[in-house]
Each structure stands twice: as C-alpha cells, then as structure tokens.
Amino acid sequence: MDDAGASLPAQMSAMGRAARQAAVALRLADAATRTRAIAAMADAVRADAAAILAANARDVADAKAAGLAPAMIDRLLLDEARVEAMAKGLETVAAIRDPLGAETDRWDRPNGLDIARVRTPIGVIAIIYESRPNVTADAAALCVRSGNAAILRGGSECLASNLAIHAAVARGLAAAGLPETCVQMARTADRAAVGLILGGLEGSVDLIIPRGGKSLVARVQQEARAPVLGHLEGINHVFLHASADLGKAIAITLNAKLRRVSVCGAAETLLVDSADAQRLLPPVARALAEAGCELRGDARARSLVPGMAAATQEDWGTEYLAPIMSVAVVDGVEGAAEHIAAHGSAHTDAIVAEDGIAAERFAALVDSAIVLINASTQFADGAEFGFGAEIGIATDRLHARGPVGAEQLTTYKYVVRGTGQTRP
C-alpha cells in the first residue's frame, strides 16, 4: 500500500483493510500453498542477496553516522552468512508441521455430541520491532505458516534493509498464488505509523507484538488498543549451585554472556551459591575477565575477587547488551530465586548444578518463560527450539510464553458435531 498521494492515516487504514481480506485468503489456503509461499520466499531472498546487502550497507552507514550503539549496529548488520541463515530459516519454517486444523483434543458427550478443539489463525497480527532486519523474514514466514496476515513496522534505522527483504517476501507470496497483502510493510520512518498501528487500524488488528527496548514497550503498554503479546528485555541470570561442575560453570557462563552480547538471550547477571563460592567464583570471574568482560559485584563477590568493581542497585536490572556482567553471591536455590524474582524480567534463567534435586527446585521456583538446567541462556531462540524462527520471546503469562513460533501464533475454536440434538 504505497499511495504517495494519500495521507499516512489513509495509507495505514488501507493496509488494515487489505490485511483483513488477506487473512481470509490465508485461512482458506491449504497447508501446501502456505508451504510453497514460504519456500518461494527463501528462493527470493537468495536471489536478492546483493540488493539486500546493498540496502543494509546504507542502513549501517547511516546508523554509524547517527552514533548508534555498537550492540544495536551488530543487531542491524547483515552479511552473506546472515542472509543465507535468513533463507535457511525460511526453509525450516516451510518444513515444519502446519499447525492449522490440528485437533488438540476431542471427546464425545453422553448426548452424542462430538466436540473437537481445533487450532485456528488469530487473524491480523501487527509486529513492531527495532534494529533486526531478519525479523522481517521470520515474521513473514511464521505468520504465513500460522495463517495470519501480517502488518510489519520495523525500526527506522533498518528501513532500507526491511523493504529489500519485504520485496522478496512479496514475490514468494505471489509465486504461490497468495495475495501480496498477506504480509505488508509500513514504508515510512514516520513514528506516527506506530501510533496508528497501536490504535488498531480501525479494528483491523487482532494482536500486536512489540519487539524492542524499554521505550517501545512503554509506548505499547500506554497506547495499544488491541491485545498485546509482550516481549520484555532479557535480564537473564546464570546461577552456579554449590554442586556445579567447575568446567561446566566456566563454559556455560562464558557462552551465556559472551557468545553474542547483543541478543536478548545473553546473560546479564551471574549468581553464585555462597555454600561453595570460594571454589566457583574466582576461576569463573578470571575466565570472564580474560575474555574481556567487565564484572560488577556485590560485597560478597568482591571479597572473593579483589579488584572487581562495585555493583550499584541499577546494575541488577540492566540489560547491558555489552561485555559487562553483574555478580552476586546468594544463599542457595532460594536466594537465587529471590534475586531473580526481584530483578529479572521473566525471560530466561539458568542453573548449573550436578544436584538434580536442586536443579528441579530451581526450575519450579523460578517463574520465567525459559528455565535451563546445565545449558547456556543463549539457547533462548525459536530456531534452537525447533520452531524454525521466532517473532520474539514472550514474557507474559497469558496465551504464549517463551519463543513465539507458528504454533504460538494460533488460537483455537471448538467444532461441535451433532446428529440433530436439541437442548432440553
């Protein structure tokens, strides 16, 4: 919907109306058609790789000139490997089991009624995101796989990249005989477009998914007039229990923090069990420091690692997205769970422990969307869960939690089959 002669509100309203029509086409399309569309998107992304990289180079140059933080530039940056990963992600989504029409339960009533609970699309999903152009491809694939029309509004810092990727998505839809309006992209950097989407586009939007920083989340919470599937920042923790194997503790902590510091699954706080902190913390801290990670600790942590900087109260709730990690010594599983409840974002938290009872107690006490036992927090990723891709990590408690893949973008309805029954 790129009518330059129309006002922005008129353009956005037209997108909403087109999305509603496209949602009907997707709902009626069979699984094979949706599969062909997503596979064709992958082919088009590969064919357009040079154009996508050229557009991304313009975005990156502008971002650097504007002084965007290094972590944000890393999120924005595409190279040949990342474009190929985008195409492979599309192919993975094309290959996963189609969720629509799946019966999650079925039963008969004494009166002869046959009741089935069946997965069905949500309708029109608006996705507002920042920095990551790969979300354009992921969101398109997952929405088509789940039978939902999508309205995308990426960050202004990656507009050229998003438009180049969206062009490939549109060709994939057309190749499968589906309306190109099944996935639409707001073609403007004007922030007013976000407000119009949050307003629901005259009732066209069924669900809003924000994927961004605190300012975006705050705006969505304040202005949204349609249901929201929340994706908060990743204030993630690694807890080293007294029973932790030291080798695992070092490897998991280093990976959780430093594999890629700019992702929402990166660990920001290290918690160490006071019962064996003397054994665990100094070598783990040394390994982090040698890898270039700055540590900021509480008094107990600093007593075991001389020279460690002091953590402030603000540090415990900060998503650094940088090689910085806060460190606290806590009293057992309960102490770790209390710290996470007070300062975490219900995103992803991990325990390293050889004591299985302690590990399971941690998993029961910590109410986060993802809880890992003896594994890095950087597995907080839809592709790693086998979903092919993700739209984000949902941190709400209703509808969906954790990686949001195609199945999480469905709702359900009841189909009741009778033979003429009437209710007395």
Side-chain angles (χ1 to χ4, degrees):
M1 311 301 298
D2 190 27
D3 183 0
S7 66
L8 181 59
Q11 291 181 48
M12 298 301 295
S13 293
M15 287 178 67
R17 292 191 296 273
R20 291 238 65 92
Q21 295 173 353
V24 174
L26 277 169
R27 182 184 293 269
L28 296 177
D30 59 21
T33 298
R34 293 193 297 273
T35 297
R36 286 197 303 274
I38 301 167
M41 291 177 199
D43 292 340
V45 164
R46 287 196 177 97
D48 288 0
I52 291 169
L53 290 173
N56 184 250
R58 296 195 297 273
D59 283 335
V60 171
D62 290 344
K64 289 180 177 178
L68 202 68
M72 296 298 103
I73 290 175
D74 178 64
R75 290 183 170 191
L76 168 60
L77 179 66
L78 294 175
D79 55 23
E80 289 184 1
R82 289 186 179 181
V83 172
E84 176 58 23
M86 193 187 308
K88 287 182 177 177
L90 287 163
E91 289 174 336
T92 302
V93 175
I96 64 175
R97 179 176 58 86
D98 193 89
L100 296 187
E103 291 184 354
T104 62
D105 204 356
R106 189 167 185 170
W107 64 96
D108 293 324
R109 297 291 296 143
N111 60 8
L113 289 178
D114 175 359
I115 302 176
R117 187 166 62 234
V118 181
R119 291 202 176 277
T120 187
I122 291 171
V124 176
I125 300 178
I127 303 159
I128 305 169
Y129 52 103
E130 299 171 344
S131 300
R132 294 181 183 276
N134 65 290
V135 174
T136 301
D138 290 349
L142 291 172
C143 284
V144 171
R145 177 81 288 167
S146 56
N148 296 291
I151 295 174
L152 309 180
R153 203 288 186 179
S156 58
E157 70 280 359
C158 55
L159 180 58
S161 305
N162 287 336
L163 290 175
I165 296 167
H166 179 258
V169 166
R171 290 214 315 280
L173 289 165
L178 289 172
E180 293 185 12
T181 49
C182 289
V183 180
Q184 298 177 82
M185 168 73 63
R187 306 178 64 85
T188 176
D190 191 336
R191 291 177 64 85
V194 174
L196 292 167
I197 292 171
L198 293 178
L201 300 180
E202 300 173 346
S204 294
V205 176
D206 296 299
L207 180 68
I208 298 171
I209 303 178
R211 180 168 177 170
K214 286 183 177 180
S215 60
L216 173 61
V217 172
R219 184 178 183 187
V220 170
Q221 290 173 336
Q222 183 177 22
E223 298 182 24
R225 296 295 179 267
V228 175
L229 184 60
H231 174 108
L232 296 181
E233 57 191 345
I235 311 297
N236 306 323
H237 303 74
V238 174
F239 170 52
L240 307 182
H241 184 257
S243 69
D245 174 84
L246 181 57
K248 291 179 185 177
I250 292 172
I252 289 172
T253 305
L254 283 174
N255 186 267
K257 175 68 253 185
L258 297 174
R259 171 191 165 271
R260 194 171 172 192
V261 298
S262 64
V263 297
C264 64
E268 306 295 7
T269 298
L270 175 64
L271 304 175
V272 185
D273 194 340
S274 61
D276 211 355
Q278 179 67 60
R279 175 178 70 91
L280 294 167
L281 181 52
V284 173
R286 183 165 55 252
L288 286 165
E290 289 174 353
C293 184
E294 176 189 340
L295 300 178
R296 302 174 183 177
D298 66 2
R300 289 200 286 182
R302 286 183 286 115
S303 72
L304 295 172
V305 183
M308 183 186 295
T312 66
Q313 189 64 26
E314 183 180 2
D315 280 308
W316 307 121
T318 296
E319 186 181 34
Y320 298 112
L321 301 176
I324 304 169
M325 196 172 201
S326 53
V327 184
V329 175
V330 297
D331 297 325
V333 170
E334 283 71 16
E338 289 173 4
H339 183 103
I340 291 168
H343 303 290
S345 58
H347 191 292
T348 301
D349 298 291
I351 182 174
V352 183
E354 296 302 299
D355 182 337
I357 294 175
E360 295 300 331
R361 182 160 180 77
F362 179 88
L365 282 174
V366 174
D367 186 23
S368 294
I370 303 171
V371 179
L372 300 112
I373 297 172
N374 291 323
S376 168
T377 60
Q378 299 241 354
F379 284 105
D381 180 272
E384 294 296 329
F385 275 51
F387 297 169
E390 68 177 31
I391 287 183
I393 306 292
T395 52
D396 287 340
R397 287 173 172 79
L398 297 179
H399 179 67
R401 295 188 85 186
V404 177
E407 184 174 306
Q408 289 73 32
L409 293 179
T410 63
T411 183
Y412 59 83
K413 63 183 176 184
Y414 291 97
V415 178
V416 183
R417 297 175 175 88
T419 55
Q421 290 89 337
T422 59
R423 185 171 177 177

